[in-house]
Amino acid sequence: MGRRSKQPRQRPKPQPILNEQTQEEKHDAFTRCISDRLKVFDLCSGQDEYDSISEAIAAMAPADAPPTEKDLENAMHVLLEFFDEVADADARGLIFAAALDAWGACVAVIATQVGNSDEGSDGCHRQTDAGENEDTTDASKGDEDADDGDYIGEGECELCERSIKLTRHHLIPKFTWPRVKKRLWNAATTIESLQSLSSQINKTSNNQRREEMKEKQQSLQDKLVKIFGPDMDLSGLPATVSHDNIRAYLCQVCLLCRGCHSAIHRIHTEWELATEFNTMDRLLQCEEVMKYGKWANKQRC
């Protein structure tokens, strides 16, 4: 028998190492990167505060997919709501650098585009063709909140009173939620003390005691004004501060047509809506809003 030629042994193809992080792990890394970068600014009193604020900021990005440019812009605005002493450029740089660290190439193109964009895209004043300063802060946020722009059906708009397709308007815009939440937790003891005191005042028949309690009541109200600011409507605050009550307070909505919804966001900033115009009654007291509503009422749907 002839000798068989030795056949080269087939080497198995190397299998790729499956060490790719899941999207959830990348999102967690994004949160940690934000926390680490915030420490450079020395803005918080301790690690717990860095962690909680970083989680609130990172929540603007989806947990199951790479973030879009809009998601990162939203995260930047939340950061600025917490720390108004941080410059827009620094906030933008922090968020996009943290996203690059967490997602790498998935957001590299976005970061490059943002880095090359002009000043008008970062929510600052820019020059228009007419040479006037145009405030684009709200435009960069969008006229509606992330899920507010979707049509939910037909009905009567609560502003212009036309029968038309409606959108959901959060009376406290989502961009302000982290800032409002933080202040609610800070005011929890004061709010509950005020509620308890108000109940006692209604029950007491001793005039002197009533006057003493009213003085204390005014002191507590002054304390709330310091926490929330002089323009905040304190009448609708939850009686007790808990996670469920805060969520119910933040999730209050009214139903508006797209035109009225957009007009409200053009007329007022997000923080003005959250503090001064956070009920439908308050919105209807605004002269500019009512003027638009009356005009819209005469337009064809």
Side-chain angles (χ1 to χ4, degrees):
M1 275 176 75
R3 189 175 178 179
R4 290 183 182 178
S5 59
K6 192 173 182 179
Q7 297 293 325
R9 183 182 244 173
Q10 289 271 354
R11 292 186 180 182
K13 292 183 178 180
Q15 296 297 316
I17 300 174
L18 300 177
N19 61 353
E20 179 71 19
Q21 285 182 307
T22 65
Q23 289 299 331
E24 186 175 348
E25 289 170 335
K26 290 180 179 180
H27 191 274
D28 290 341
F30 181 47
T31 305
R32 291 194 300 273
C33 289
I34 292 172
S35 178
D36 291 341
R37 291 175 181 277
L38 282 175
K39 291 173 186 175
V40 175
F41 294 89
D42 192 25
L43 296 167
C44 300
S45 57
Q47 186 60 48
D48 288 344
E49 189 175 356
Y50 279 115
D51 290 343
S52 61
I53 290 176
S54 298
E55 287 173 7
I57 295 170
M60 296 297 104
D64 56 355
T68 63
E69 182 178 347
K70 178 68 174 176
D71 295 329
L72 297 182
E73 289 283 347
N74 291 348
M76 184 194 82
H77 286 297
V78 172
L79 190 158
L80 291 172
E81 290 289 355
F82 274 114
F83 308 112
D84 53 10
E85 66 267 39
V86 176
D88 285 9
D90 290 335
R92 181 182 297 278
L94 186 154
I95 293 300
F96 280 86
L100 275 172
D101 288 344
W103 282 281
C106 293
V107 297
V109 174
I110 296 175
T112 302
Q113 289 173 344
V114 170
N116 293 333
S117 64
D118 60 18
E119 185 184 356
S121 66
D122 67 1
C124 301
H125 286 79
R126 61 180 172 86
Q127 290 294 112
T128 63
D129 291 338
E132 298 177 349
N133 284 329
E134 180 183 351
D135 190 344
T136 61
T137 302
D138 288 331
S140 68
K141 297 176 183 176
D143 285 339
E144 294 91 16
D145 295 325
D147 61 349
D148 286 7
D150 296 336
Y151 289 119
I152 59 171
E154 290 197 7
E156 184 178 285
C157 173
E158 293 185 51
L159 178 56
C160 70
E161 299 181 340
R162 292 179 296 172
S163 181
I164 195 172
K165 288 183 178 179
L166 299 173
T167 63
R168 185 184 292 109
H169 166 65
H170 278 91
L171 291 163
I172 300 175
K174 283 188 174 181
F175 283 117
T176 68
W177 283 12
R179 190 174 176 184
V180 173
K181 279 183 184 178
K182 184 179 180 181
R183 297 189 182 198
L184 282 170
W185 283 116
N186 289 340
T189 303
T190 306
I191 291 172
E192 290 171 11
S193 298
L194 188 58
Q195 290 294 328
S196 174
L197 189 61
S198 298
S199 176
Q200 292 176 37
I201 290 173
N202 293 332
K203 293 177 181 178
T204 187
S205 57
N206 186 311
N207 289 335
Q208 184 178 351
R209 177 64 177 155
R210 183 190 293 269
E211 290 303 315
E212 289 174 355
M213 287 192 290
K214 282 187 175 181
E215 287 181 11
K216 189 175 180 181
Q217 183 185 45
Q218 185 59 53
S219 176
L220 290 172
Q221 288 174 340
D222 291 342
K223 191 173 180 180
L224 286 181
V225 169
K226 287 182 180 179
I227 294 172
F228 289 101
D231 298 321
M232 181 73 172
D233 178 12
L234 302 176
S235 61
L237 292 177
T240 56
V241 178
S242 66
H243 287 289
D244 289 341
N245 287 350
I246 288 177
R247 180 159 186 79
Y249 176 70
L250 296 177
C251 289
Q252 299 174 89
V253 299
C254 62
L255 304 181
L256 304 172
C257 67
R258 187 179 293 279
C260 289
H261 195 164
S262 297
I264 285 172
H265 282 272
R266 283 197 304 270
I267 293 168
H268 295 295
T269 66
E270 305 286 284
W271 190 242
E272 286 173 347
L273 290 173
T275 56
E276 300 176 58
F277 302 99
N278 52 21
T279 66
M280 197 62 211
D281 287 341
R282 281 289 189 106
L283 281 170
L284 294 175
Q285 290 171 14
C286 172
E287 186 176 340
E288 287 184 76
V289 171
M290 279 301 298
K291 183 178 179 181
Y292 179 87
K294 289 177 181 178
W295 173 84
N297 177 264
K298 299 175 183 177
Q299 309 308 307
R300 296 177 64 183
C301 299

